[in-house]
Structures are given as C-alpha cells and as structure tokens.
Amino acid sequence: MIPSRLILNGRTIMKQNTLSFEKQLSDWCANTFATCFPDSDLSTFTLGVTPGKNEQFGDYQCEAAMKLSKKLRTNPRAIGQAFIDHAVLPGLIEKIEIAGPGFINIFLKNEGISIQLTDMLTDENLGLPNKGNNQTVLIDYSSPNIAKPMHIGHIRSTVIGNSIDRLYRALGYNVIADNHLGDWGTQFGLIILGYREFADHDALKTAPVEELERIYVESYNRSKEDGTWRDRAKAELVKLQQGDKENRALWATFIQLTLSEFNKIYKRLDVSFDLYRGESFYNDDLAKTVEKLEMAGLSEESDGALICNLEEDGLAVAIVRKSDGGYNYTTTDIATVASRTEEFSPAEIIYVTDERQQLHFKQFFHICKQLGIETKLTHIWFGLMRLPEATFSTREGNVIKLEALLDEAEARALEVVKASSPDMDETQQKEVARAVGIGAIKYTDLSQNPQSLVTFTWKKALAMDGNSAPYLQYAYARIASVRDKYATKFPGINPDEFPIKLTEEQERRLALKLIRFPSAVESAARLHRPSVMADYLYDLSQAYSSFYQNVPFLKAEQGPRESRIRLCTLTASVLKKGLSLLGIETPERI
RNA sequence: GCGCCCGUAGUUCAAUGGAUAGAAUAGUGGCCUCCGAAGCCAUUGAUCUGGGUUCGAAUCCCGGCGGGCGCACCA
C-alpha cells in the first residue's frame, strides 16, 4: 500500500518510488474507498483512475462509484458523495466532484502538475518505475528460417518483438532476446542435394540467400516429380542428422551465409539479440523430451506416430514423434522451454509469431503445464500481412523482400529530405533519410493493433505525414532547434533556475500528457502492445505542435520563456525515450 | 464440420464496459514580415445486421451476413 503522505505533501518522490504518478492517484482512490466503506470487501474491484477524456470532466476520472453500486446496494452518486465526504485531498488536487451517473472527476492544481514535471526533469529515467526488479524475461522473436530471404512478412515479428523487448528493459526487467532460428528440418536434405547438383557459385557469392532459396525451391519441385531425387534427399538428411562431417559442414555454411545476410537487415533495423539459438540447439534433447512425456503418461501411439491427445482439453491432437521416428516442432518447442527454464529461470517466456501458430502454442503450452513446468508462457500473435490482391507466396513470386522495402523507404525519405532541407549536405541528408525511412516503416507496424488483418500497401508502409514516425521526429527536431536558438540568444541563463508555470491552455494540455509517460510505458508493456506507446507519443506530439504553434516562447519575457523552454526540454526527452522504446531514432535535424 | 481472429467516416487506423465514438488521409476554407509550413486552426463525414445482458455496449452473450487463419506426421 502506498504511503499516502507522498502525495499528501503535494510531492512525489519518483526516484525512490516504484509507482507511477497515475498509480499513486489510483491507490489514493482505493484507500479512500476503503475508508468510506470499511465493512465491505472491495478488493476484487479496480478502483483506480483513468486520464480524463474531456477537459470539462477533469484531468483524471474515477468510475468506481458506478462499479461498486451493486455490491454496496447504494446508488452511485451517493457513493461518490461518501467518497467526497471522506476524502483527504492530496496537495496536488484542486478539487473533486461528482458528475453524470456517478463519475468522480479529479482536477489537478497547476502547481501539482509542475511538481510532477520537475521531478521527471531531474530523473534520468523520466519517472519510469522499476517494475521488473531484475526478474528475467525471455523473448523469442523474429526467428526466420535459414536459407530463405526475409520478406515483408518477417518485419512484424522482428519489429513488434523488439519493441516489447525494449519496453521490458526500460521497466527494469532482465531481458533475454532469443532468435529461435529455423535451422533444422527436412528442408536441409533437399538443399544439400541441390547444392551438390546445381548450385550457382557466383550467385552464392553475390546473393547467397536468394541462391539458397532457389536451390531449395528447385530441389523441392524435383522431389515432387522424381522419386529417386526424393530418396537421395532423404539420404542426405539422414547423413546430416547422424553427424556426417561433410553434410554438417555444408549445413554450417548455409547458416553462416544466411546469418550474415540477416545481420545486415538487423543492423539496419537496429535489432540485436542476446542469443541465436536455433532449433538445432535442442536437437539432442528431443528423445529425452519424448521419454519424459511417455513416463508422465501424456502420450500414446496412433497410426505409428506418438501423439499427445489433447482432445479432452478442447485442443487437437499434437504429434510429438512422427511415424518415421523423426521429431517435429511441438517436441522441439517443449524441449526449448525445458532448457530455457533450467538455464535462465525466467519469470516469463514471450513468443512473438503470426496468427497461424495459435493452436500450436496452445497445445505445447498445455503440455508444458502437464509436465509441471510452471514458467508463465505467453504467445503474442499478430495478423498476417498480405497484399491487396492475394497472400504472399514464394511460388506466386509476389513476395516483397525486406531489403527492398527498407531500400525503398530510405529512397522515398531521401526525396522528402532533399525537398525540404536542400541546404543540408548530402551525407547528412542520407543519414536523415535513413532514420526517417526506417522509422516510418517501423511506426506503421507498431502503431496499429497487431491482431487485425494487415494489407500491405506502399502508401501505408511509407506514410510520412499525419500519424507517422516522421511527424514525431519532426516535433523532436524542432525542439532541438529551439534549444540551440535559446542557448545562442540567451547565453548564461539556466532555465532550470526558473519554476515551471502553466499559464496557457496549450501548456497545461502538454504538461498533462507529459506526466502520463510512465503509465503509458507500463500499459504498453503489460498489454504487450507497442501501439499503446505509439498512440501516446502521437498524442504528445500533437499537444506539443499545438503548443509550439500557438504559444510564443523564445519571444516571451524572461520567466515564462524559461518555463516553456523547460517544457520543451522535457518533451524532447520523453519523445526521444519513447521513440527509442519503439526502436525509432530521433535525429537532431531532419 | 469444429476452433481462433477481424468487420468503425470515401480510405487507413484509435477507443482497460463509461459521459458528446477520437485521429490521419482525401475534400473544403484559413495561417509563413513572426521560435523550422514534414506544421497549425476551422469544417464535412462512421460503429455490418437482428436479438439479449447492463445504470451505461463499437466493446460482453446468442443468431445472421462478409473477410482472414488454423485443425496428424511442414515449422
């Protein structure tokens, strides 16, 4: 429970506190309700505050009176009145009132808001609480297949997973980012055979992954028509699995070639992993895993295969050992969880994949539980990306390579930069175009609910105005410019020696957005939804742009000028930090 | 057949069961002698359909309609 003197004194002690401002207000509400109704158990209710949606209804609102109405057999307005009668107002609250059916509206004092702002300004973490407390969370994302180029379908797992990674780190979790590569499986028999028979070694040098894919596709097609080819491929696979030196070496080469290409893309996307443990890493655990299942009585024979029958639990049958004795992904994933749990003892393992794998994850999560693995397992899924006319398919030849997407983004951004900053030197123009182009791509993916259908269009992916990364980057760059101008025009004055005073409407609105930053980060992480963060940042930028355009600051007199410069500084810090949580850069000039 | 997801302005997206459904873009009309117009201000325009639960439903439940995905040896 929060020591309410913290806000009763009108001052929070953010740096020593693990609670965001919004959480403190919420706790204050809950405590007040507890005082009002000491005889009732209210612990099952959420009695917190939410940011006000309409200024006339206050800065924060509490809807608890209506929710408690039934339990307390009292009408909501009477509950609200009891709340007001019992409430000891913290110093930063101006007033509270009941409105409508029973909303409790909370109005903050301007000085109260200013204190929050000042606290944020002096905290290098901008008020972010340490929620993780060094608990380990393992995040499994991106996870592309070896020997296939990444196309635009891969960007979502990579970018969304990376943002969740960043959000958790920012909240004090010890994150392990693990790229669970598809580096094992029947396709390698086909690739090895194809490589031996018809590899184009020049192409392997210039575009290795494309060539490997070509080899795979051609070999696959042959295996469908030619039984001999199929048998030979299978023989190569068996040799690989039995540890044949040559095949192992080839396999290792394929991985090396592919990874070096992937790493170029990861570098462009500013994504990095702590581990690159592919499926092969767990290969030796598979037999043991199946043994455990059998011992636990969780598996049974069926048509020559070994299965886990989950039909009683409303799930389909999962095969854990094929009739030819081979293992498949359910087994690998169970082994992976066991290994990760043993090695890292994570509080949670988070998987980020597309929607097609929902059933698979439900199945193996279920089996893990039956095996007694307590680790919290979470599957974050997102909708497949498709083209307006069809889904992607290598066979249709309508895939858009990730590399091409990034190139195009940078090229289009460069046009815009050249048009609006013709005086910038060319190196810098390119550098800005890179940050802006990549930012635009990422933002498009991160700013929407991942679970809805996504249709790829160039127009959408490369949006540069309106609700887009460049809009946020532009806001940031303008502030950077203001800061520089201030320093030149008023040398020797330290804005921090002036208090923050909120006199204009636009300043107050901006300030209210700023103090919500920590709770926005918490929500985004808790819901595993980077879009919550993106929404918040866009909201903040809109508030800033409106402030910027309508309130003079460099031209204001001393006092208000410094106060506003401090608001600008804090906005810049929040934008920079917030965008970094989306993996988006903030150039000082764009 | 069974299961999961989605259906909101012309278009692309928002909205922990909360007050008058927000933005962007496209359209219309304004704002650069003034801190960066990649911007700001104003304006037109939407919850697929029929029931139900609730003080209160875009949101929850049931039934339609439309779209996507998954259901035994690919991951």
Side-chain angles (χ1 to χ4, degrees):
Chain A
M1 188 145 306
I2 178 192
S4 52
R5 64 188 157 79
L6 288 184
I7 44 179
L8 281 175
N9 291 346
R11 197 177 173 85
T12 55
I13 308 172
M14 285 278 193
K15 273 170 285 186
Q16 289 130 31
N17 209 310
T18 54
L19 297 170
S20 68
F21 166 65
E22 195 168 311
K23 185 73 172 63
Q24 294 184 49
L25 264 187
S26 291
D27 287 345
W28 171 75
C29 275
N31 288 345
T32 303
F33 275 113
T35 340
C36 293
F37 306 100
D39 302 331
S40 306
D41 176 21
L42 306 180
S43 60
T44 54
F45 292 86
T46 49
L47 305 174
V49 298
T50 54
K53 290 186 180 109
N54 185 325
E55 281 172 17
Q56 73 178 102
F57 298 136
D59 302 318
Y60 285 87
Q61 58 175 278
C62 174
E63 295 143 8
M66 292 170 292
K67 289 178 177 149
L68 293 172
S69 175
K70 199 161 253 174
K71 161 94 178 173
L72 298 172
R73 295 165 181 267
T74 313
N75 87 61
R77 289 195 67 108
I79 296 172
Q81 193 54 51
F83 182 94
I84 289 180
D85 293 343
H86 285 79
V88 181
L89 290 194
L92 53 69
I93 292 183
E94 174 76 41
K95 59 171 178 178
I96 55 179
E97 56 188 37
I98 316 173
F103 291 97
I104 297 167
N105 294 334
I106 300 172
F107 296 80
L108 301 180
K109 283 182 187 163
N110 282 1
E111 307 86 74
I113 302 171
S114 299
I115 288 167
Q116 296 299 321
L117 296 171
T118 313
D119 284 346
M120 279 176 82
L121 268 168
T122 51
D123 179 3
E124 60 179 17
N125 273 324
L126 298 169
L128 286 184
N130 181 353
K131 286 201 78 176
N133 212 2
N134 285 322
Q135 287 179 88
T136 295
V137 172
L138 193 144
I139 309 181
D140 178 328
Y141 66 95
S142 194
S143 308
N145 287 325
I146 293 297
K148 285 184 191 165
M150 285 202 256
H151 58 78
I152 61 171
H154 291 101
I155 199 173
R156 307 207 80 197
S157 174
T158 308
V159 166
I160 293 172
N162 185 245
S163 179
I164 294 173
D165 175 341
R166 290 163 182 267
L167 286 162
Y168 269 77
R169 280 181 214 264
L171 291 171
Y173 289 88
N174 172 35
V175 174
I176 300 172
D178 190 359
N179 195 349
H180 192 63
L181 300 163
D183 64 354
W184 199 251
T186 49
Q187 76 267 31
F188 284 101
L190 290 164
I191 299 173
I192 290 171
L193 179 59
Y195 176 87
R196 291 226 167 89
E197 297 291 326
F198 52 72
D200 175 342
H201 290 271
D202 291 335
L204 270 175
K205 276 185 192 125
T206 51
V209 186
E210 275 79 358
E211 174 60 11
L212 285 174
E213 187 187 40
R214 186 193 69 85
I215 292 171
Y216 168 69
V217 170
E218 194 169 329
S219 186
Y220 174 79
N221 288 339
R222 258 199 228 186
S223 75
K224 282 185 113 178
E225 295 155 11
D226 181 349
T228 319
W229 187 268
R230 192 161 52 232
D231 293 341
R232 287 176 66 199
K234 199 156 195 177
E236 297 292 357
L237 179 67
V238 171
K239 275 168 74 186
L240 173 69
Q241 287 170 338
Q242 289 170 344
D244 172 79
K245 259 193 172 171
E246 270 182 49
N247 279 11
R248 281 283 175 146
L250 275 180
W251 170 74
T253 312
F254 300 154
I255 292 176
Q256 217 36 57
L257 285 173
T258 311
L259 267 187
S260 68
E261 289 296 294
F262 286 176
N263 281 330
K264 285 182 200 162
I265 288 176
Y266 289 139
K267 196 171 174 196
R268 290 178 78 177
L269 290 173
D270 193 18
V271 167
S272 60
F273 297 92
D274 302 294
L275 300 172
Y276 286 83
R277 286 189 182 166
E279 290 155 3
S280 64
F281 185 85
Y282 306 95
N283 201 35
D284 295 341
D285 300 344
L286 300 181
K288 193 176 66 190
T289 302
V290 168
E291 240 172 71
K292 269 197 272 179
L293 288 171
E294 288 183 300
M295 298 268 287
L298 297 173
S299 59
E300 59 190 72
E301 295 273 341
S302 172
D303 289 345
L306 193 70
I307 62 164
C308 286
N309 192 338
L310 308 173
E311 278 170 343
E312 272 182 22
D313 304 297
L315 296 168
V317 163
I319 292 176
V320 292
R321 190 178 62 211
K322 299 187 280 185
S323 48
D324 68 1
Y327 304 103
N328 60 8
Y329 59 119
T330 303
T331 318
T332 311
D333 276 328
I334 296 168
T336 304
V337 170
S339 163
R340 286 169 174 171
T341 303
E342 195 178 319
E343 187 173 351
F344 305 113
S345 315
E348 185 177 9
I349 302 177
I350 298 172
Y351 297 82
V352 185
T353 80
D354 73 56
E355 60 185 327
R356 289 174 302 183
Q357 303 199 29
Q358 287 174 86
L359 177 61
H360 162 63
F361 277 96
K362 276 187 194 159
Q363 288 175 327
F364 94 80
F365 285 1
H366 190 85
I367 297 170
C368 285
K369 201 166 191 183
Q370 289 179 320
L371 279 173
I373 296 173
E374 305 280 340
T375 312
K376 184 178 176 197
L377 303 172
T378 307
H379 180 215
I380 310 298
W381 59 266
F382 50 85
L384 277 178
M385 198 180 280
R386 56 182 61 76
L387 290 171
E389 58 277 12
T391 44
F392 290 112
S393 153
T394 312
R395 227 158 290 160
E396 299 293 322
N398 64 354
V399 291
I400 298 174
K401 301 253 163 67
L402 196 41
E403 202 180 353
L405 176 70
L406 302 184
D407 289 345
E408 183 69 21
E410 291 184 18
R412 294 205 192 183
L414 187 58
E415 281 176 36
V416 179
V417 174
K418 279 185 169 160
S420 55
S421 305
D423 301 332
M424 199 181 270
D425 71 71
E426 211 181 313
T427 324
Q428 201 187 349
Q429 282 180 335
K430 278 191 180 153
E431 178 53 24
V432 168
R434 191 190 56 74
V436 169
I438 303 291
I441 295 274
K442 286 189 174 186
Y443 189 88
T444 301
D445 249 342
L446 291 170
S447 62
Q448 58 185 309
N449 174 4
Q451 302 191 338
S452 52
L453 294 174
V454 179
T455 304
F456 178 87
T457 58
W458 286 101
K459 183 180 156 68
K460 197 165 49 154
L462 302 175
M464 301 265 181
D465 52 4
N467 188 355
S468 68
Y471 177 87
L472 309 190
Q473 291 169 319
Y474 179 66
Y476 180 84
R478 286 210 290 200
I479 302 175
S481 171
V482 163
R483 253 187 329 206
D484 291 354
K485 285 220 166 69
Y486 177 81
T488 356
K489 279 179 114 170
F490 308 100
I493 303 180
N494 180 4
D496 292 344
E497 288 164 7
F498 295 79
I500 296 180
K501 288 204 168 141
L502 307 170
T503 53
E504 302 295 319
E505 256 177 72
Q506 283 96 340
E507 292 181 281
R508 194 173 193 280
R509 275 189 213 130
L510 174 61
L512 280 169
K513 302 283 186 210
L514 285 168
I515 62 177
R516 282 189 43 215
F517 175 65
S519 67
V521 176
E522 280 184 82
S523 300
R526 179 168 40 85
L527 302 169
H528 307 109
R529 289 264 294 265
S531 62
V532 170
M533 196 65 233
D535 270 358
Y536 166 77
L537 291 172
Y538 180 61
D539 231 30
L540 174 67
S541 297
Q542 278 188 314
Y544 179 78
S545 294
S546 181
F547 163 69
Y548 177 91
Q549 213 91 19
N550 294 297
V551 180
F553 32 93
L554 288 182
K555 276 174 257 156
E557 58 189 28
Q558 194 174 70
R561 183 176 66 214
E562 278 65 27
S563 167
R564 287 167 193 165
I565 290 295
R566 294 184 77 189
L567 268 183
C568 287
T569 306
L570 183 56
T571 305
S573 305
V574 170
L575 279 177
K576 192 183 187 75
K577 179 78 180 171
L579 280 169
S580 84
L581 297 177
L582 300 177
I584 295 173
E585 293 175 53
T586 38
E588 301 292 308
R589 297 280 178 275
I590 74 170

